[in-house]
Amino acid sequence: MDFIACSRFGHFSVMVITLLLFVPVTTMASSSPFNPTQPIFMSAEIFPQTLGFGSYFTQIEVGTPPVSQFMVIDSGSDVTRFQCKPCNCEQTPGHGFDTLNSTSFSVVPCDSAACNHFGQHGCNNNSQCPYKVDSLDGSFSNGSLMLERLTFGSTVVPNVYFGCGHTNSGMVAGTDGLVGLGGGPLSLPNQLRLRGLADIFSYCLPSLFGGSPGWLNFSLPGAVLPAGTAWVPLLRNPNTPTYYYVGFSGLGIGGIRLPISEESFKITKEGFGGVIIDSGTIFTRLPKPVYEVFRNAYVAKTVNLPRAPVSPVFDTCYNLSGLDPFQVPNVSFFFSAGPILTLKVRHILAEHESYIGKEIFCLAFVPTNHATTIIGNTQLLGIQTSFDAAAGYMGFGPSTCSPPESSPDCHGHWPPRQWPPRSIALRNYIPPYPLLLNCMFIYMFFIC
């Protein structure tokens, strides 16, 4: 049995769019701060949430003159959006972006494909293109689409589609909005790719326990990530084009694979199920039957650890007070294409939210009544996670942004990236019918 020996650790907080113009892009960034040989189009640091659990932020600037926006990074959302004036909104650091003060603001034409993306078929009575994003947990963002200048790190990109939210609720405390990194046509990566500005994007979510800063990088077209990246093919789900689905074959504990059928992780013909990689979900969510097998096996391998009261979020908790060092079994993710991602203690246990500082830790996985598995950001802390939608791959490594004891290990099959990329026909994309949009909102609830 493989075990991880650890010392006591501290607080774990856990359409194609018809572009209107092509105008020059201003950039001073030519390389990644973590890999000087990799050509980078634009790059910015990622910061962890220091209070509460596990959201990750970056800072962008919007408009002319630039106005700073503190944004959640979310690979499970498409539209990059923030709160705007006039605003029936929650309190934010900047109290909303004012388009009247920006000389680079422009409206989205009523007859554009982007204006039809949300099924509104043109502009509203105010000659604005509306957007609306709802979740069943009650959070929502309603407003209008706009074109604005984006400053990302030292790079300036004009005429980027944003959602200007006039009515918002349920946002992460202390933020202005979110950066949509999903696979849909209005996401920031696809806007950059369709304009020929960037291809692969990568992020590394930093640990609260030291190591390098986190980063979010967009690589220049044709860039190839360094040797050692473990590529996993992306799977398409036409019902939910926003999400990054991967082939997933199973789970392991202590180096032993669990008796869970690979069918439990496949997308059905109706578009349900499957496995999603999502930076906006904090803890990995497993379908309830899968979770019960996993949880029971983990409990069986940790009988030497004293148990603790459960929490509203977690049902398996341990009292690690006074145990230094202690041992916990590792957890492995088996991907269908071959790579195996082996998690370490800070990806497996999270501090009990009701006993902060008292060394009560819980198994950082949660059950869901739905068929979709979502790999959350807690399980991917410290390792470079890359998405190459044009070639149809996502990858792990080789770079890290946390100490070795806090970064997952990835080993197994290392397929080369295809270049030129195989086509993913975004030009044939048709916005989902309202029924499918409702399904997407249901999924968004369980992701957010």
Side-chain angles (χ1 to χ4, degrees):
M1 182 185 300
D2 297 331
F3 281 89
I4 307 166
C6 312
S7 295
R8 198 176 308 163
F9 51 95
H11 181 189
F12 184 81
S13 298
V14 188
M15 162 184 321
V16 175
I17 306 296
T18 303
L19 296 174
L20 305 177
L21 309 171
F22 182 83
V23 284
V25 172
T26 303
T27 179
M28 298 171 58
S30 60
S31 64
S32 164
F34 303 98
N35 180 14
T37 64
Q38 182 186 341
I40 297 298
F41 170 63
M42 62 186 195
S43 180
E45 285 192 7
I46 292 176
F47 310 94
Q49 184 177 6
T50 55
L51 296 175
F53 287 114
S55 292
Y56 290 84
F57 311 109
T58 193
Q59 191 167 4
I60 66 173
E61 293 180 317
V62 179
T64 308
V67 177
S68 184
Q69 307 287 332
F70 200 48
M71 310 281 276
V72 175
I73 62 164
D74 189 359
S75 63
S77 294
D78 284 335
V79 179
T80 297
R81 55 189 184 268
F82 42 81
Q83 302 192 105
C84 287
K85 296 179 180 179
C87 193
N88 178 18
C89 303
E90 299 169 343
Q91 199 69 260
T92 60
H95 306 292
F97 179 77
D98 192 344
T99 60
L100 297 177
N101 293 335
S102 175
T103 60
S104 52
F105 164 79
S106 61
V107 298
V108 175
C110 297
D111 59 354
S112 66
C115 199
N116 293 323
H117 178 68
F118 292 92
Q120 301 294 323
H121 304 296
C123 291
N124 56 24
N125 294 334
N126 296 323
S127 298
Q128 296 177 332
C129 295
Y131 82 89
K132 183 177 182 180
V133 179
D134 293 302
S135 297
L136 291 182
D137 64 353
S139 64
F140 59 83
S141 179
N142 299 341
S144 57
L145 289 177
M146 66 177 182
L147 289 162
E148 254 296 7
R149 170 175 151 156
L150 166 68
T151 303
F152 192 95
S154 57
T155 303
V156 177
V157 184
N159 293 320
V160 174
Y161 288 95
F162 290 103
C164 192
H166 298 294
T167 305
N168 306 280
S169 181
M171 296 179 63
V172 175
T175 65
D176 296 294
L178 62 83
V179 176
L181 299 175
L186 278 177
S187 72
L188 182 59
N190 271 326
Q191 290 191 59
L192 297 175
R193 186 173 67 80
L194 292 171
R195 293 171 69 168
L197 301 176
D199 265 338
I200 303 169
F201 76 91
S202 304
Y203 58 75
C204 191
L205 305 178
S207 169
L208 289 174
F209 308 100
S212 303
W215 75 87
L216 172 59
N217 290 343
F218 293 84
S219 300
L220 290 168
V224 178
L225 291 182
T229 302
W231 291 105
V232 178
L234 290 171
L235 305 180
R236 298 282 289 172
N237 186 346
N239 288 357
T240 51
T242 296
Y243 306 129
Y244 295 108
Y245 288 86
V246 294
F248 194 84
S249 61
L251 295 161
I253 296 177
I256 300 174
R257 191 159 175 161
L258 299 179
I260 301 172
S261 170
E262 189 171 349
E263 293 297 318
S264 302
F265 304 107
K266 290 186 176 180
I267 304 171
T268 68
K269 293 180 180 179
E270 295 77 19
F272 298 105
V275 177
I276 296 168
I277 305 288
D278 180 33
S279 66
T281 295
I282 299 173
F283 305 111
T284 291
R285 297 175 178 268
L286 300 171
K288 192 172 182 179
V290 172
Y291 174 79
E292 289 176 348
V293 173
F294 170 76
R295 186 264 324 275
N296 293 343
Y298 200 85
V299 168
K301 291 181 181 292
T302 53
V303 292
N304 59 314
L305 296 179
R307 298 293 293 272
V310 300
S311 84
V313 178
F314 307 113
D315 66 6
T316 303
C317 299
Y318 302 93
N319 183 350
L320 302 183
S321 177
L323 300 181
D324 192 5
F326 60 88
Q327 291 183 323
V328 297
N330 61 31
V331 171
S332 297
F333 291 162
F334 293 86
F335 293 89
S336 299
I340 303 169
L341 194 68
T342 300
L343 309 181
K344 299 180 180 177
V345 64
R346 290 192 175 118
H347 311 101
I348 301 169
L349 299 179
E351 191 165 15
H352 194 305
E353 70 274 23
S354 300
Y355 296 95
I356 300 299
K358 296 185 178 180
E359 301 187 56
I360 306 297
F361 292 87
C362 304
L363 187 61
F365 295 76
V366 294
T368 174
N369 290 324
H370 287 251
T372 302
T373 294
I374 304 170
I375 297 177
N377 62 42
T378 297
Q379 281 65 48
L380 297 180
L381 291 179
I383 191 168
Q384 179 177 355
T385 305
S386 305
F387 296 87
D388 185 358
Y393 283 96
M394 64 85 56
F396 298 109
S399 299
T400 62
C401 57
S402 292
E405 67 273 11
S406 299
S407 301
D409 293 327
C410 193
H411 49 89
H413 183 49
W414 307 76
R417 175 178 182 265
Q418 296 181 3
W419 191 263
R422 57 185 174 88
S423 173
I424 296 179
L426 286 176
R427 60 183 175 277
N428 297 327
Y429 173 76
I430 300 173
Y433 290 107
L435 177 61
L436 293 181
L437 282 173
N438 289 336
C439 293
M440 291 173 70
F441 296 149
I442 291 171
Y443 272 91
M444 286 177 64
F445 166 65
F446 291 99
I447 288 177
C448 298

